[in-house]
Amino acid sequence: MKAGSNLEQVLESGVFTVTAELGPPKAADPKVIIDKAGILKDHVDAVNITDNQTAIARMSSAAAARLCIEQGLEPVMQMTCRDRNRLAIQSDILGAAALGVRNLLCLTGDHQSLGNHPQTLGVFDLDSITLIRMVRDMRDGPVFQNGEEITGLAPQLFIGAAANPYADPFPYRALRLAKKVEAGIDFVQTQIVFNVGKFEEFMRQCRELGVSEHCRILAGVAPLKSAGMAKYMKNRVAGMDVPDEIVERMSGAGDAQDEGIQVCVDVIKKVREIEGVAGVHIMAVEWEAAVPEIVKRAGLRE
Amino acid sequence: MTDDCENVLVAGCNTCVAVCLTGGEKEAEQLAQQLRIARRREGIRGKVDTVTVLRQCENEYLDAIAVQVEEADIVLSTACSIGPQGLVFRYPRKRVAPAMNTNMLGYVREHHVWTEYCAACGSCVIAATGGICPVARCAKTLLNGPCGGSRNGRCEISPEVPCVWQEIYDRLAALGDLDSLKRIIGPKKWNLSNSGGPRTMKKEGFEP
Ligand code: SF4
Ligand code: SF4
C-alpha cells in the first residue's frame, strides 16, 4: 500500500470501484458539503472534491475534504496548477494530509478565462505532470520539490490524474497518460465517456503502452438531465464527445432525467466489459441525488 | 495628458516599432498631426513637433536629440516601452509618456498579423519542443504536452486561438521524433524569468 486510503484498498482488491464528485459551494456554508456527503456516502468508495472547478471561486478543496471526512466519506482532493505556485501547493498538501486526506488528484486546471474572474493571473508554475512528480517525491522521497528532505511525517497520498480520450491530438492521449504514469500516478479518472467506441480504442492503446498495468483506470460517466444539456455538452463544452445517437435518445425521451440515468447506466455496463477498466467515476454535477440510483441500476453495489 | 504643455515632442523609433507599423517615423508624424488637430479644437496654444531616431533603446541615439527634448515640455515616445524609460534615464527632469502599449515579442506570421512567439523566459525550452515555444504560446505555459482542452487544433480559451501543442505535435510527428514528447520537462526555473527580479546581461570583452 502506498497511502492506505480506502480508494487504494478497494482498487487493489480488484473490486469494480465507484467514485463520484462533490462540488464545494460558492459560500462558507458547511451544511452544503454535509448534505451532499450524506447523499453519496453509502453508495461510493470515495468522492472527488473539486478545486475551484471551471475557474470559479469556491470553498477550498482541503477544507471541504475535511468536512467530508467528518461525515465518514473518503475524499479525493483535487489540486490544480492554475491558482497556486509550488510553495502554496506543497503547503496545502501538507495541511490536507495532516487533516486526513489520503487521495490527491493532480490537474492542470481549466484556464482562468473560462471562469468568473477572467482578469486574474494564471499561475501554472507547474503543469499536471510536474505536479504529479512533485507529490510522488513528497511521499516517496520524501523530499520537497527543491530536493530538501521532509524530516517529519511525509504526506501519504494515493496519487491520481485525469485523462481525456476525446481531446486532440488523439494519438497522443494514451502517450500522455503513460507520461503521467512515469511521473508517478496510481490511478486515473477519464473525461466523461459517451462515445464508447473511441474510449475502447483509447484503452487498447493504454494496454499496449502498459498503462493499465501500472495505474488503475476509472472511466468517467455522467447522467444527462435533458436533451438541451446533451446538445450543450456536444457543442459547447471543450473536450466532450456526445454522439448524435445519445442526443436523439434524450430528445425522444418522455422522462428526460430517467432516460439520462439510463444512458449513464448503459455506458457503465459497456465500459465495465473493457479490459483494464477498474471502475467508474460518476460526475453528476449539482445532481448528487442521481448517483445512488445509477449505482443501483448498474448493479455496482452487489 | 498634454493639455497643460505648450511644446509637445512626439519621438518616433525607426527599428522594431517601425516595421510593426506602430511607432516609426510615419506613425509618429500621424500621431503628431492628430494631436495638433485635437489641440487646435480645444484651443490649446503651443506646438507639436516630431523627431525620430533609429533606436530609442541606446544612449547615443537619445543623446542626439538633446536640443529637441530640452525645448519640449513633454515627450511622447512611440517606441516600445523601453523608449520612454530610456528618455527618462537620459533626461531625468523631462516629463515623458508612452504613446504605445507594448504587448508582446511577436512574429509576422501573415502580413499585418503579429503573433506572440517569445516571453523572454530566460531558460529556453524550444530545443525540446520542436523549435516552437509553449511558454509564450500555450495559454497555460505547459511544458509536457497538450491539456485536455485541445480540440481540432484550437485552444480551450477560444476557437480563434491555435493550440500550440497541436503544432508541436504535428511538427515532431512529421520529423519522426514523437519520442521526445515522452520526456518530462520541468519544473521550470522561473527564477531566470522576470519573476526572479529584473535581469541584466553583460557581454564580457565588450567593455568600453
Ligand atoms: S522558451 Fe522562453 S526564451 Fe524560449 S522562446 Fe519560449 S519564452 Fe522565449
Ligand atoms: S489547448 Fe493547447 S494551447 Fe490551449 S492551454 Fe491547452 S495545451 Fe495550451
Side-chain angles (χ1 to χ4, degrees), chain A residues 82-121:
Chain A
R82 179 195 56 234
D83 308 329
R84 301 172 189 81
N85 65 12
R86 63 192 83 172
L87 280 170
I89 293 177
Q90 290 179 107
S91 103
D92 281 355
I93 285 173
L94 295 178
L99 291 173
V101 171
R102 290 292 171 266
N103 309 296
L104 190 83
L105 193 83
C106 301
L107 305 165
T108 298
D110 295 327
H111 193 266
Q112 62 276 9
S113 62
L114 306 178
N116 65 353
H117 290 73
Q119 294 181 342
T120 193
L121 175 73

Side-chain angles (χ1 to χ4, degrees), chain B residues 117-126 133-136 188:
Chain B
Y117 263 39
C118 176
C121 75
S123 52
C124 194
V125 302
I126 70 173
C133 174
V135 176
K188 195 163 171 60

Side-chain angles (χ1 to χ4, degrees), chain B residues 138-140 142 146-147 149-150 155-156 163-165:
Chain B
C138 165
K140 303 177 189 171
L142 303 182
C147 75
S150 176
C155 174
E156 73 174 27
C163 170
V164 76
W165 270 105

